Amino acid sequence: MIRNINHCGRSLTLFIFLCCIINTRLTAQQILNLDFEKTSIEGISRPWGWDLATYASTTAVMDSTVKKNGNYSLKMEASSNTGEQVMGSYFEEYELKNKTVVLEGWIRTYELKGTASFFLSYMAKGDTAETVIRARPVTNSTEWIKLSITAKLPVNTISINAGIRHEGTGIAWFDDFSLLVNGKKKEQLEIAPPFSTKQIQWLNDNTTSIKTVDAAQFGTTPYEEDLSFFKSLVGDARIIALGESTHGTSEFFRLKHRVLEYAVNNMGVRVFAIEDHPLVVARANQYVMGGPGTARAAMGGMLGVWQTKEVHDMIDWMRHYNDAHPTDKVIFTGFDIQNHSIAIDSLYSFLKERSPELNQQVKALLDDLRKNGHNSYSVSDSVKLAWFNNAKQVLDMVTTTCNNWLLTIKNPAESLAINWGIQYATLIKQFAENTYKGHTSLYRDIAMAENVSWIINVYKPGARVLLWAHDVHISRGDHPNNDMNIYYGKSMGSHLARKYGADYKSFGLFTYQGEYSCYVSYSNFKVTDCPVYN
């Protein structure tokens, strides 16, 4: 069952996908995988819940041949001394704060010329650095050795991580880890207090069933009655943002496809914009607008998280819709900034035809960024600053020149082509500024908000736009205490909400214990208005 929470004093909207009726004790839990028995979607190359925190050439794989217990251990191996490799797992802090936590596990090594160990790290609110507690390192060749570390976590702990590490050449196996909290072994962690009876009753009283997460097959009549509430909740907003807590969850993507279908058929949405670079997505737009090829080929170059059957089916649906509505097509674009080369190449091509002299000046300023921008994480700060300053200079030059051209251009298509020239330079400057300021600056969200504004003000003036992005980007950030806001109120959605007010509506999509998914509208919502959040 899927449910919509359609009122909560203010404007709170939830689409809830339930596998069962809400019961009298609803809790949120983080399942642990400390014995490495559960594989991730990548198979045995990565245990579920564990991710690489460093990127040395050390290989990591779940090993069924050498293990302490169960079906698998985690094996890490390097044939050359390529540095430290760390795999980490994040622990929700709710149940661990102000508790004594013990992390224990087994390590075995073979011809390890280096060390193998594990650690627990945490940070308390106000700290400037993590506290790291490390187990005794193991080296050479050993049979299974059990080690443990203990931490008394502060009451204001805000993050906790476990990590296993391999350094040097040789092999290390890790297996049968345990987490003990005040002496009690935990297989899972509570991440929030259970819902109260009052809260669960409120959920049941304020929901409307939705029939399915799936869009209709093109050529069949879609079932739309259960989504009529969505139209009334969005109202006259021009920008409708659909979020997701994870990229790649099938039900999330299918539900977004269905909402897009409904919004196109019933709400006048004619621009669909995804969290990807607009010039990369342009290939897919050419296809959905009637160009040659296939939906699969059109997806080439898009971010890996979009390389799914669900996105493929949505692109295919857009193509079929546009073929059937040749004078009223839906445009597919993007608003992200994480690609420097395609923007620079597009600007070069644009200027080559219109101003070869300016093109040479621009090339002199941007060629180093074009050649080395793929190393943006590792170049020096002075190089990043040079890229940024050069990109700003290019943007100023291109904007001045293009604005002069626009004074004499009357043809709308020609005007848009020239405005795209300015946008090429803008995308380059945004990439360089994000590189210079660093990803923790959250400048990327500022840039994405700017690009959404460009879409509705220049690219398709007056159009109604449906956005697709992660929850952290579409959140409005309306809470008066920024500690309660995603990205501390500096998300793309918060910038758009401040600029457009009620013209921007956002709906976040998340999972709860694998049992249901929710769209949460942040529009004019106050936490204190809703008993679910009290």
Side-chain angles (χ1 to χ4, degrees), residues 402-446:
C402 286
N403 282 337
N404 287 334
W405 291 340
L406 289 170
L407 292 175
T408 60
I409 296 297
K410 304 300 181 184
N411 182 294
E414 186 73 4
S415 293
L416 179 58
I418 293 172
N419 275 299
W420 263 115
I422 299 174
Q423 186 64 3
Y424 298 149
T426 299
L427 290 164
I428 297 164
K429 192 276 296 184
Q430 289 171 339
F431 177 90
E433 185 165 356
N434 191 52
T435 296
Y436 172 62
K437 290 184 174 179
H439 297 279
T440 58
S441 72
L442 301 179
Y443 168 75
R444 177 182 167 216
D445 278 71
I446 295 174

mmCIF file of all heavy atoms in Angstrom, residues 402-446:
data_model
loop_
_atom_site.group_PDB
_atom_site.id
_atom_site.type_symbol
_atom_site.label_atom_id
_atom_site.label_comp_id
_atom_site.label_asym_id
_atom_site.label_seq_id
_atom_site.Cartn_x
_atom_site.Cartn_y
_atom_site.Cartn_z
ATOM 1 N N CYS A 402 28.332 38.528 -25.851
ATOM 2 C CA CYS A 402 27.016 37.959 -26.200
ATOM 3 C C CYS A 402 25.903 38.979 -25.987
ATOM 4 O O CYS A 402 24.947 39.051 -26.779
ATOM 5 C CB CYS A 402 26.760 36.695 -25.393
ATOM 6 S SG CYS A 402 27.720 35.258 -25.941
ATOM 7 N N ASN A 403 25.976 39.759 -24.931
ATOM 8 C CA ASN A 403 24.951 40.780 -24.693
ATOM 9 C C ASN A 403 24.949 41.819 -25.813
ATOM 10 O O ASN A 403 23.877 42.321 -26.194
ATOM 11 C CB ASN A 403 25.174 41.449 -23.343
ATOM 12 C CG ASN A 403 24.705 40.590 -22.184
ATOM 13 O OD1 ASN A 403 23.856 39.712 -22.358
ATOM 14 N ND2 ASN A 403 25.231 40.832 -21.007
ATOM 15 N N ASN A 404 26.106 42.143 -26.348
ATOM 16 C CA ASN A 404 26.159 43.054 -27.493
ATOM 17 C C ASN A 404 25.511 42.415 -28.723
ATOM 18 O O ASN A 404 24.803 43.092 -29.484
ATOM 19 C CB ASN A 404 27.606 43.435 -27.801
ATOM 20 C CG ASN A 404 28.181 44.387 -26.765
ATOM 21 O OD1 ASN A 404 27.451 45.138 -26.115
ATOM 22 N ND2 ASN A 404 29.501 44.355 -26.595
ATOM 23 N N TRP A 405 25.761 41.125 -28.934
ATOM 24 C CA TRP A 405 25.118 40.432 -30.053
ATOM 25 C C TRP A 405 23.603 40.415 -29.888
ATOM 26 O O TRP A 405 22.860 40.571 -30.857
ATOM 27 C CB TRP A 405 25.639 39.004 -30.153
ATOM 28 C CG TRP A 405 27.074 38.897 -30.592
ATOM 29 C CD1 TRP A 405 27.804 39.840 -31.256
ATOM 30 C CD2 TRP A 405 27.935 37.780 -30.403
ATOM 31 N NE1 TRP A 405 29.081 39.392 -31.495
ATOM 32 C CE2 TRP A 405 29.206 38.116 -30.982
ATOM 33 C CE3 TRP A 405 27.807 36.531 -29.807
ATOM 34 C CZ2 TRP A 405 30.290 37.248 -30.982
ATOM 35 C CZ3 TRP A 405 28.886 35.655 -29.802
ATOM 36 C CH2 TRP A 405 30.111 36.014 -30.381
ATOM 37 N N LEU A 406 23.127 40.205 -28.657
ATOM 38 C CA LEU A 406 21.689 40.110 -28.409
ATOM 39 C C LEU A 406 20.958 41.408 -28.719
ATOM 40 O O LEU A 406 19.743 41.393 -28.992
ATOM 41 C CB LEU A 406 21.433 39.697 -26.958
ATOM 42 C CG LEU A 406 21.772 38.247 -26.592
ATOM 43 C CD1 LEU A 406 21.710 38.045 -25.086
ATOM 44 C CD2 LEU A 406 20.813 37.279 -27.292
ATOM 45 N N LEU A 407 21.668 42.533 -28.679
ATOM 46 C CA LEU A 407 21.026 43.821 -28.960
ATOM 47 C C LEU A 407 20.507 43.905 -30.382
ATOM 48 O O LEU A 407 19.565 44.657 -30.672
ATOM 49 C CB LEU A 407 22.022 44.962 -28.706
ATOM 50 C CG LEU A 407 22.437 45.192 -27.250
ATOM 51 C CD1 LEU A 407 23.526 46.266 -27.177
ATOM 52 C CD2 LEU A 407 21.233 45.567 -26.392
ATOM 53 N N THR A 408 21.105 43.158 -31.287
ATOM 54 C CA THR A 408 20.718 43.238 -32.703
ATOM 55 C C THR A 408 19.997 41.985 -33.194
ATOM 56 O O THR A 408 19.616 41.909 -34.362
ATOM 57 C CB THR A 408 21.964 43.460 -33.575
ATOM 58 O OG1 THR A 408 22.876 42.358 -33.393
ATOM 59 C CG2 THR A 408 22.659 44.758 -33.190
ATOM 60 N N ILE A 409 19.796 41.008 -32.307
ATOM 61 C CA ILE A 409 19.168 39.744 -32.702
ATOM 62 C C ILE A 409 17.680 39.787 -32.382
ATOM 63 O O ILE A 409 17.286 40.102 -31.254
ATOM 64 C CB ILE A 409 19.831 38.554 -31.989
ATOM 65 C CG1 ILE A 409 21.286 38.424 -32.418
ATOM 66 C CG2 ILE A 409 19.070 37.263 -32.287
ATOM 67 C CD1 ILE A 409 21.489 38.125 -33.882
ATOM 68 N N LYS A 410 16.855 39.458 -33.351
ATOM 69 C CA LYS A 410 15.409 39.434 -33.154
ATOM 70 C C LYS A 410 14.844 38.013 -33.210
ATOM 71 O O LYS A 410 13.759 37.750 -32.711
ATOM 72 C CB LYS A 410 14.720 40.291 -34.217
ATOM 73 C CG LYS A 410 15.216 41.740 -34.273
ATOM 74 C CD LYS A 410 15.002 42.456 -32.950
ATOM 75 C CE LYS A 410 15.477 43.910 -33.032
ATOM 76 N NZ LYS A 410 15.357 44.603 -31.725
ATOM 77 N N ASN A 411 15.569 37.109 -33.819
ATOM 78 C CA ASN A 411 15.102 35.738 -33.964
ATOM 79 C C ASN A 411 15.210 34.999 -32.634
ATOM 80 O O ASN A 411 16.297 34.922 -32.050
ATOM 81 C CB ASN A 411 15.949 35.028 -35.034
ATOM 82 C CG ASN A 411 15.485 33.606 -35.288
ATOM 83 O OD1 ASN A 411 15.583 32.764 -34.412
ATOM 84 N ND2 ASN A 411 15.006 33.364 -36.499
ATOM 85 N N PRO A 412 14.104 34.444 -32.099
ATOM 86 C CA PRO A 412 14.149 33.773 -30.786
ATOM 87 C C PRO A 412 15.140 32.612 -30.727
ATOM 88 O O PRO A 412 15.831 32.438 -29.720
ATOM 89 C CB PRO A 412 12.711 33.288 -30.585
ATOM 90 C CG PRO A 412 11.890 34.190 -31.439
ATOM 91 C CD PRO A 412 12.737 34.511 -32.629
ATOM 92 N N ALA A 413 15.208 31.839 -31.802
ATOM 93 C CA ALA A 413 16.130 30.696 -31.803
ATOM 94 C C ALA A 413 17.573 31.170 -31.753
ATOM 95 O O ALA A 413 18.411 30.585 -31.049
ATOM 96 C CB ALA A 413 15.895 29.834 -33.038
ATOM 97 N N GLU A 414 17.873 32.246 -32.476
ATOM 98 C CA GLU A 414 19.222 32.790 -32.459
ATOM 99 C C GLU A 414 19.548 33.383 -31.090
ATOM 100 O O GLU A 414 20.659 33.247 -30.579
ATOM 101 C CB GLU A 414 19.360 33.847 -33.549
ATOM 102 C CG GLU A 414 20.767 34.387 -33.738
ATOM 103 C CD GLU A 414 21.704 33.394 -34.405
ATOM 104 O OE1 GLU A 414 21.240 32.299 -34.801
ATOM 105 O OE2 GLU A 414 22.904 33.697 -34.522
ATOM 106 N N SER A 415 18.572 34.043 -30.494
ATOM 107 C CA SER A 415 18.780 34.602 -29.148
ATOM 108 C C SER A 415 19.084 33.501 -28.137
ATOM 109 O O SER A 415 19.971 33.643 -27.289
ATOM 110 C CB SER A 415 17.541 35.386 -28.705
ATOM 111 O OG SER A 415 17.354 36.532 -29.491
ATOM 112 N N LEU A 416 18.336 32.381 -28.235
ATOM 113 C CA LEU A 416 18.583 31.279 -27.311
ATOM 114 C C LEU A 416 19.973 30.694 -27.531
ATOM 115 O O LEU A 416 20.679 30.372 -26.562
ATOM 116 C CB LEU A 416 17.527 30.189 -27.489
ATOM 117 C CG LEU A 416 17.684 28.961 -26.581
ATOM 118 C CD1 LEU A 416 17.667 29.361 -25.107
ATOM 119 C CD2 LEU A 416 16.602 27.921 -26.868
ATOM 120 N N ALA A 417 20.411 30.576 -28.782
ATOM 121 C CA ALA A 417 21.752 30.052 -29.070
ATOM 122 C C ALA A 417 22.826 30.934 -28.438
ATOM 123 O O ALA A 417 23.819 30.431 -27.885
ATOM 124 C CB ALA A 417 21.962 29.947 -30.571
ATOM 125 N N ILE A 418 22.630 32.251 -28.496
ATOM 126 C CA ILE A 418 23.602 33.161 -27.893
ATOM 127 C C ILE A 418 23.550 33.074 -26.370
ATOM 128 O O ILE A 418 24.594 33.105 -25.693
ATOM 129 C CB ILE A 418 23.346 34.602 -28.388
ATOM 130 C CG1 ILE A 418 23.640 34.691 -29.889
ATOM 131 C CG2 ILE A 418 24.207 35.598 -27.614
ATOM 132 C CD1 ILE A 418 23.240 36.004 -30.520
ATOM 133 N N ASN A 419 22.354 32.957 -25.816
ATOM 134 C CA ASN A 419 22.249 32.779 -24.365
ATOM 135 C C ASN A 419 22.896 31.479 -23.907
ATOM 136 O O ASN A 419 23.450 31.403 -22.804
ATOM 137 C CB ASN A 419 20.776 32.831 -23.929
ATOM 138 C CG ASN A 419 20.290 34.248 -23.698
ATOM 139 O OD1 ASN A 419 20.819 34.952 -22.840
ATOM 140 N ND2 ASN A 419 19.294 34.672 -24.459
ATOM 141 N N TRP A 420 22.842 30.459 -24.765
ATOM 142 C CA TRP A 420 23.552 29.219 -24.443
ATOM 143 C C TRP A 420 25.062 29.477 -24.381
ATOM 144 O O TRP A 420 25.765 28.884 -23.567
ATOM 145 C CB TRP A 420 23.248 28.122 -25.467
ATOM 146 C CG TRP A 420 22.172 27.174 -25.049
ATOM 147 C CD1 TRP A 420 20.946 26.998 -25.621
ATOM 148 C CD2 TRP A 420 22.232 26.255 -23.953
ATOM 149 N NE1 TRP A 420 20.229 26.028 -24.951
ATOM 150 C CE2 TRP A 420 20.997 25.551 -23.917
ATOM 151 C CE3 TRP A 420 23.187 25.963 -22.985
ATOM 152 C CZ2 TRP A 420 20.711 24.579 -22.968
ATOM 153 C CZ3 TRP A 420 22.915 24.989 -22.032
ATOM 154 C CH2 TRP A 420 21.687 24.308 -22.030
ATOM 155 N N GLY A 421 25.559 30.373 -25.220
ATOM 156 C CA GLY A 421 26.979 30.715 -25.148
ATOM 157 C C GLY A 421 27.349 31.251 -23.789
ATOM 158 O O GLY A 421 28.381 30.876 -23.209
ATOM 159 N N ILE A 422 26.507 32.123 -23.238
ATOM 160 C CA ILE A 422 26.746 32.641 -21.887
ATOM 161 C C ILE A 422 26.657 31.505 -20.873
ATOM 162 O O ILE A 422 27.460 31.421 -19.931
ATOM 163 C CB ILE A 422 25.728 33.748 -21.544
ATOM 164 C CG1 ILE A 422 25.866 34.925 -22.508
ATOM 165 C CG2 ILE A 422 25.911 34.211 -20.099
ATOM 166 C CD1 ILE A 422 24.799 35.992 -22.340
ATOM 167 N N GLN A 423 25.693 30.608 -21.080
ATOM 168 C CA GLN A 423 25.523 29.503 -20.129
ATOM 169 C C GLN A 423 26.697 28.536 -20.168
ATOM 170 O O GLN A 423 27.094 28.000 -19.127
ATOM 171 C CB GLN A 423 24.209 28.772 -20.408
ATOM 172 C CG GLN A 423 23.853 27.696 -19.386
ATOM 173 C CD GLN A 423 23.592 28.220 -17.986
ATOM 174 O OE1 GLN A 423 23.622 29.425 -17.736
ATOM 175 N NE2 GLN A 423 23.324 27.321 -17.059
ATOM 176 N N TYR A 424 27.297 28.307 -21.343
ATOM 177 C CA TYR A 424 28.494 27.472 -21.413
ATOM 178 C C TYR A 424 29.575 28.061 -20.494
ATOM 179 O O TYR A 424 30.210 27.341 -19.704
ATOM 180 C CB TYR A 424 29.050 27.408 -22.836
ATOM 181 C CG TYR A 424 28.141 26.814 -23.879
ATOM 182 C CD1 TYR A 424 28.208 27.251 -25.212
ATOM 183 C CD2 TYR A 424 27.225 25.816 -23.567
ATOM 184 C CE1 TYR A 424 27.392 26.709 -26.194
ATOM 185 C CE2 TYR A 424 26.403 25.278 -24.541
ATOM 186 C CZ TYR A 424 26.487 25.733 -25.849
ATOM 187 O OH TYR A 424 25.676 25.206 -26.813
ATOM 188 N N ALA A 425 29.794 29.365 -20.621
ATOM 189 C CA ALA A 425 30.819 30.028 -19.805
ATOM 190 C C ALA A 425 30.450 29.992 -18.333
ATOM 191 O O ALA A 425 31.323 29.863 -17.461
ATOM 192 C CB ALA A 425 31.012 31.463 -20.280
ATOM 193 N N THR A 426 29.160 30.098 -18.034
ATOM 194 C CA THR A 426 28.699 30.038 -16.644
ATOM 195 C C THR A 426 28.982 28.672 -16.039
ATOM 196 O O THR A 426 29.465 28.558 -14.906
ATOM 197 C CB THR A 426 27.194 30.342 -16.573
ATOM 198 O OG1 THR A 426 26.950 31.661 -17.070
ATOM 199 C CG2 THR A 426 26.689 30.242 -15.135
ATOM 200 N N LEU A 427 28.701 27.612 -16.797
ATOM 201 C CA LEU A 427 28.937 26.252 -16.305
ATOM 202 C C LEU A 427 30.424 26.014 -16.042
ATOM 203 O O LEU A 427 30.793 25.324 -15.075
ATOM 204 C CB LEU A 427 28.413 25.235 -17.318
ATOM 205 C CG LEU A 427 26.884 25.159 -17.463
ATOM 206 C CD1 LEU A 427 26.500 24.436 -18.742
ATOM 207 C CD2 LEU A 427 26.261 24.484 -16.247
ATOM 208 N N ILE A 428 31.275 26.594 -16.878
ATOM 209 C CA ILE A 428 32.717 26.468 -16.669
ATOM 210 C C ILE A 428 33.136 27.189 -15.399
ATOM 211 O O ILE A 428 33.888 26.658 -14.569
ATOM 212 C CB ILE A 428 33.485 27.041 -17.882
ATOM 213 C CG1 ILE A 428 33.162 26.239 -19.141
ATOM 214 C CG2 ILE A 428 34.986 27.048 -17.618
ATOM 215 C CD1 ILE A 428 33.556 26.941 -20.430
ATOM 216 N N LYS A 429 32.636 28.395 -15.226
ATOM 217 C CA LYS A 429 32.963 29.152 -14.018
ATOM 218 C C LYS A 429 32.454 28.440 -12.774
ATOM 219 O O LYS A 429 33.125 28.383 -11.735
ATOM 220 C CB LYS A 429 32.358 30.564 -14.123
ATOM 221 C CG LYS A 429 32.861 31.542 -13.063
ATOM 222 C CD LYS A 429 32.121 31.470 -11.729
ATOM 223 C CE LYS A 429 30.663 31.858 -11.870
ATOM 224 N NZ LYS A 429 29.992 31.859 -10.513
ATOM 225 N N GLN A 430 31.271 27.855 -12.858
ATOM 226 C CA GLN A 430 30.705 27.139 -11.707
ATOM 227 C C GLN A 430 31.565 25.934 -11.337
ATOM 228 O O GLN A 430 31.820 25.686 -10.152
ATOM 229 C CB GLN A 430 29.274 26.701 -12.020
ATOM 230 C CG GLN A 430 28.273 27.844 -12.072
ATOM 231 C CD GLN A 430 26.920 27.403 -12.590
ATOM 232 O OE1 GLN A 430 26.787 26.372 -13.274
ATOM 233 N NE2 GLN A 430 25.887 28.173 -12.282
ATOM 234 N N PHE A 431 32.018 25.185 -12.333
ATOM 235 C CA PHE A 431 32.901 24.046 -12.054
ATOM 236 C C PHE A 431 34.181 24.527 -11.384
ATOM 237 O O PHE A 431 34.634 23.947 -10.381
ATOM 238 C CB PHE A 431 33.229 23.300 -13.350
ATOM 239 C CG PHE A 431 34.184 22.149 -13.160
ATOM 240 C CD1 PHE A 431 33.715 20.881 -12.885
ATOM 241 C CD2 PHE A 431 35.559 22.342 -13.234
ATOM 242 C CE1 PHE A 431 34.592 19.818 -12.692
ATOM 243 C CE2 PHE A 431 36.448 21.294 -13.051
ATOM 244 C CZ PHE A 431 35.956 20.027 -12.776
ATOM 245 N N ALA A 432 34.783 25.584 -11.928
ATOM 246 C CA ALA A 432 36.037 26.089 -11.369
ATOM 247 C C ALA A 432 35.836 26.657 -9.970
ATOM 248 O O ALA A 432 36.689 26.470 -9.088
ATOM 249 C CB ALA A 432 36.620 27.155 -12.296
ATOM 250 N N GLU A 433 34.724 27.327 -9.751
ATOM 251 C CA GLU A 433 34.470 27.892 -8.412
ATOM 252 C C GLU A 433 34.230 26.792 -7.392
ATOM 253 O O GLU A 433 34.712 26.864 -6.259
ATOM 254 C CB GLU A 433 33.278 28.841 -8.465
ATOM 255 C CG GLU A 433 33.024 29.560 -7.142
ATOM 256 C CD GLU A 433 32.103 30.756 -7.266
ATOM 257 O OE1 GLU A 433 31.695 31.098 -8.404
ATOM 258 O OE2 GLU A 433 31.791 31.365 -6.226
ATOM 259 N N ASN A 434 33.507 25.749 -7.796
ATOM 260 C CA ASN A 434 33.278 24.632 -6.889
ATOM 261 C C ASN A 434 34.587 23.923 -6.559
ATOM 262 O O ASN A 434 34.822 23.507 -5.419
ATOM 263 C CB ASN A 434 32.299 23.641 -7.521
ATOM 264 C CG ASN A 434 31.817 22.597 -6.549
ATOM 265 O OD1 ASN A 434 31.337 22.919 -5.465
ATOM 266 N ND2 ASN A 434 31.918 21.336 -6.918
ATOM 267 N N THR A 435 35.465 23.795 -7.555
ATOM 268 C CA THR A 435 36.778 23.189 -7.331
ATOM 269 C C THR A 435 37.599 24.036 -6.361
ATOM 270 O O THR A 435 38.233 23.507 -5.438
ATOM 271 C CB THR A 435 37.526 23.045 -8.660
ATOM 272 O OG1 THR A 435 36.810 22.149 -9.508
ATOM 273 C CG2 THR A 435 38.930 22.517 -8.444
ATOM 274 N N TYR A 436 37.589 25.339 -6.557
ATOM 275 C CA TYR A 436 38.391 26.236 -5.718
ATOM 276 C C TYR A 436 37.853 26.300 -4.288
ATOM 277 O O TYR A 436 38.619 26.190 -3.321
ATOM 278 C CB TYR A 436 38.412 27.639 -6.332
ATOM 279 C CG TYR A 436 39.063 28.671 -5.442
ATOM 280 C CD1 TYR A 436 40.403 28.559 -5.070
ATOM 281 C CD2 TYR A 436 38.336 29.742 -4.951
ATOM 282 C CE1 TYR A 436 40.995 29.490 -4.241
ATOM 283 C CE2 TYR A 436 38.922 30.690 -4.114
ATOM 284 C CZ TYR A 436 40.251 30.554 -3.761
ATOM 285 O OH TYR A 436 40.839 31.469 -2.936
ATOM 286 N N LYS A 437 36.555 26.439 -4.133
ATOM 287 C CA LYS A 437 35.972 26.591 -2.798
ATOM 288 C C LYS A 437 35.903 25.265 -2.047
ATOM 289 O O LYS A 437 35.878 25.263 -0.819
ATOM 290 C CB LYS A 437 34.579 27.202 -2.902
ATOM 291 C CG LYS A 437 34.587 28.663 -3.324
ATOM 292 C CD LYS A 437 33.183 29.255 -3.320
ATOM 293 C CE LYS A 437 33.229 30.751 -3.597
ATOM 294 N NZ LYS A 437 31.876 31.348 -3.632
ATOM 295 N N GLY A 438 35.869 24.172 -2.765
ATOM 296 C CA GLY A 438 35.795 22.864 -2.123
ATOM 297 C C GLY A 438 34.358 22.401 -1.985
ATOM 298 O O GLY A 438 33.424 23.198 -1.860
ATOM 299 N N HIS A 439 34.186 21.096 -1.987
ATOM 300 C CA HIS A 439 32.839 20.534 -1.988
ATOM 301 C C HIS A 439 32.123 20.743 -0.656
ATOM 302 O O HIS A 439 30.891 20.761 -0.617
ATOM 303 C CB HIS A 439 32.910 19.052 -2.362
ATOM 304 C CG HIS A 439 33.451 18.840 -3.743
ATOM 305 N ND1 HIS A 439 32.676 18.967 -4.879
ATOM 306 C CD2 HIS A 439 34.702 18.555 -4.188
ATOM 307 C CE1 HIS A 439 33.415 18.757 -5.950
ATOM 308 N NE2 HIS A 439 34.646 18.497 -5.558
ATOM 309 N N THR A 440 32.868 20.925 0.415
ATOM 310 C CA THR A 440 32.212 21.172 1.707
ATOM 311 C C THR A 440 31.651 22.583 1.793
ATOM 312 O O THR A 440 30.909 22.890 2.718
ATOM 313 C CB THR A 440 33.194 20.940 2.869
ATOM 314 O OG1 THR A 440 34.333 21.809 2.708
ATOM 315 C CG2 THR A 440 33.657 19.494 2.905
ATOM 316 N N SER A 441 31.993 23.434 0.844
ATOM 317 C CA SER A 441 31.460 24.800 0.848
ATOM 318 C C SER A 441 29.992 24.834 0.441
ATOM 319 O O SER A 441 29.310 25.840 0.660
ATOM 320 C CB SER A 441 32.257 25.676 -0.125
ATOM 321 O OG SER A 441 31.955 25.331 -1.473
ATOM 322 N N LEU A 442 29.503 23.752 -0.175
ATOM 323 C CA LEU A 442 28.131 23.657 -0.669
ATOM 324 C C LEU A 442 27.852 24.667 -1.783
ATOM 325 O O LEU A 442 26.697 24.983 -2.071
ATOM 326 C CB LEU A 442 27.121 23.822 0.467
ATOM 327 C CG LEU A 442 27.238 22.807 1.610
ATOM 328 C CD1 LEU A 442 26.208 23.074 2.692
ATOM 329 C CD2 LEU A 442 27.091 21.390 1.082
ATOM 330 N N TYR A 443 28.924 25.165 -2.422
ATOM 331 C CA TYR A 443 28.709 26.068 -3.554
ATOM 332 C C TYR A 443 27.959 25.356 -4.678
ATOM 333 O O TYR A 443 27.183 25.982 -5.415
ATOM 334 C CB TYR A 443 30.036 26.613 -4.088
ATOM 335 C CG TYR A 443 29.855 27.310 -5.412
ATOM 336 C CD1 TYR A 443 29.284 28.575 -5.466
ATOM 337 C CD2 TYR A 443 30.184 26.668 -6.610
ATOM 338 C CE1 TYR A 443 29.061 29.199 -6.686
ATOM 339 C CE2 TYR A 443 29.960 27.281 -7.829
ATOM 340 C CZ TYR A 443 29.396 28.552 -7.864
ATOM 341 O OH TYR A 443 29.156 29.151 -9.062
ATOM 342 N N ARG A 444 28.168 24.060 -4.826
ATOM 343 C CA ARG A 444 27.495 23.313 -5.886
ATOM 344 C C ARG A 444 25.986 23.523 -5.831
ATOM 345 O O ARG A 444 25.330 23.661 -6.869
ATOM 346 C CB ARG A 444 27.830 21.824 -5.765
ATOM 347 C CG ARG A 444 27.126 20.948 -6.787
ATOM 348 C CD ARG A 444 27.478 19.488 -6.558
ATOM 349 N NE ARG A 444 26.601 18.599 -7.300
ATOM 350 C CZ ARG A 444 26.184 17.414 -6.861
ATOM 351 N NH1 ARG A 444 26.563 16.981 -5.667
ATOM 352 N NH2 ARG A 444 25.394 16.663 -7.601
ATOM 353 N N ASP A 445 25.404 23.559 -4.623
ATOM 354 C CA ASP A 445 23.959 23.763 -4.510
ATOM 355 C C ASP A 445 23.558 25.160 -4.948
ATOM 356 O O ASP A 445 22.489 25.353 -5.536
ATOM 357 C CB ASP A 445 23.509 23.480 -3.077
ATOM 358 C CG ASP A 445 23.302 22.001 -2.831
ATOM 359 O OD1 ASP A 445 24.285 21.253 -2.785
ATOM 360 O OD2 ASP A 445 22.144 21.588 -2.720
ATOM 361 N N ILE A 446 24.405 26.149 -4.670
ATOM 362 C CA ILE A 446 24.145 27.504 -5.168
ATOM 363 C C ILE A 446 24.116 27.488 -6.692
ATOM 364 O O ILE A 446 23.212 28.056 -7.328
ATOM 365 C CB ILE A 446 25.221 28.483 -4.665
ATOM 366 C CG1 ILE A 446 25.153 28.636 -3.148
ATOM 367 C CG2 ILE A 446 25.077 29.844 -5.353
ATOM 368 C CD1 ILE A 446 26.273 29.475 -2.567
#
